[in-house]
Each structure stands twice: as C-alpha cells, then as structure tokens.
Amino acid sequence: MENPDTYRAGKDLVEFEWRQNHRNFYSCFSLKFYREKDMPLLTGRFPDQSGDEMRESETDAFSNPIPWQLTWVQWFELQNMLAESDLPAYRKPSPNVQDETDSEIRVIWRTDDGNEIQKLSGSHAEALETLVLSIAEEAYATSNLETE
C-alpha cells in the first residue's frame, strides 16, 4: 500500500529499529518494524503500559520471532512522525557514566536515489517513544485476540 504523504516527504519507510537500554529493566525495549511481502510487521520486546510486565514476540520451532501484524494506519503514522522528526545522530554513551540511557534508532528509507540508512538517538524522543510503544501494545493485543 502506498502512503499519500510519501511524495511530500520524498522517502518511504522500509525498516525502523529501536533499542533502548536503561538501568531500570522496565524502561528497556527492543522493537523492529519492517515490511515483508508488503505487509507491515513488528517483532521485539517492550514493557506493558503499566510497566509491570514485559511483552515479547514468541518464536517458532527454529527460534525465529513470530511477528505481530500492524495496520497500514499505524505504519503510516510511524513513517510520518519519523519523517517530520529532527532527532540527533546516535552516539554511544560514555562507559564512565553508569546511568545514561543507550537509545539507538536505526531507520532505513527508500528514496529516489536508493536506500538511505540513518542512525539516530532516541534519548529525547518522548513523543516518538509514546507512539512506538502504543503501536506495539495494540499489535500485541490484536495478535492475542487472534490466537484465542
């Protein structure tokens, strides 16, 4: 499916991966949004909205993660927020600072010139984090309803 805002942004989201490590276990997450056979999918682990429990992709018999399916509305909402955000480049935290959050975002865009890869910092991306975790929670809940 094609996003009508793609032409405005000049790029189309191919893959989005966000790994965030923190001293507090329940502030950590690792999520990968991608398209396979032109379907938007998600795998990873993240805290539930209460922060009491971790949600994690199940694995198949070969230890491959079983993805949660996203809606195109969720995918385009993520794509548009990423295209409009102005996040700084990623830098690895200093090993001397024990409590600094390591928050690395990797985005692959398809442009007219080919694929463009960005490595960005998610340390001060609260609105994006809220969106990403709410999409993950919705996809997780939907997948559980389908399996029941």
Side-chain angles (χ1 to χ4, degrees), residues 21-148:
N21 297 317
H22 192 273
R23 272 188 9 192
N24 177 350
F25 176 75
Y26 289 102
S27 293
C28 298
F29 58 87
S30 176
L31 295 168
K32 180 178 180 181
F33 295 76
Y34 61 100
R35 289 172 25 182
E36 186 174 284
K37 297 180 183 170
D38 208 32
M39 289 300 304
L41 303 171
L42 165 64
T43 59
R45 64 187 308 274
F46 65 97
D48 70 352
Q49 292 177 337
S50 68
D52 296 334
E53 185 181 325
M54 291 302 283
R55 312 277 200 214
E56 191 163 356
S57 298
E58 294 182 23
T59 56
D60 65 15
F62 302 103
S63 297
N64 297 318
I66 299 171
W68 302 306
Q69 189 169 334
L70 303 177
T71 66
W72 283 107
V73 170
Q74 292 168 323
W75 182 263
F76 294 145
E77 189 175 10
L78 175 62
Q79 174 178 282
N80 293 340
M81 183 174 268
L82 284 169
E84 293 169 2
S85 66
D86 187 24
L87 299 174
Y90 172 75
R91 68 165 184 79
K92 189 132 182 89
S94 168
N96 302 332
V97 181
Q98 298 263 335
D99 64 348
E100 188 171 359
T101 299
D102 185 12
S103 189
E104 179 181 5
I105 295 173
R106 187 173 148 274
V107 184
I108 301 176
W109 297 100
R110 182 177 15 257
T111 67
D112 292 340
D113 300 328
N115 285 349
E116 172 189 328
I117 300 172
Q118 293 179 302
K119 280 195 172 187
L120 306 168
S121 173
S123 295
H124 301 288
E126 292 82 11
L128 180 59
E129 182 175 334
T130 299
L131 174 65
V132 165
L133 293 177
S134 70
I135 290 173
E137 185 67 40
E138 288 172 22
Y140 174 83
T142 301
S143 73
N144 281 348
L145 288 173
E146 291 172 356
T147 57
E148 290 177 358

Side-chain angles (χ1 to χ4, degrees), residues 7-23:
Y7 299 110
R8 181 180 54 80
K11 51 191 175 182
D12 187 30
L13 182 62
V14 175
E15 185 176 299
F16 168 77
E17 190 169 2
W18 192 347
R19 298 178 187 275
Q20 179 164 290
N21 297 317
H22 192 273
R23 272 188 9 192

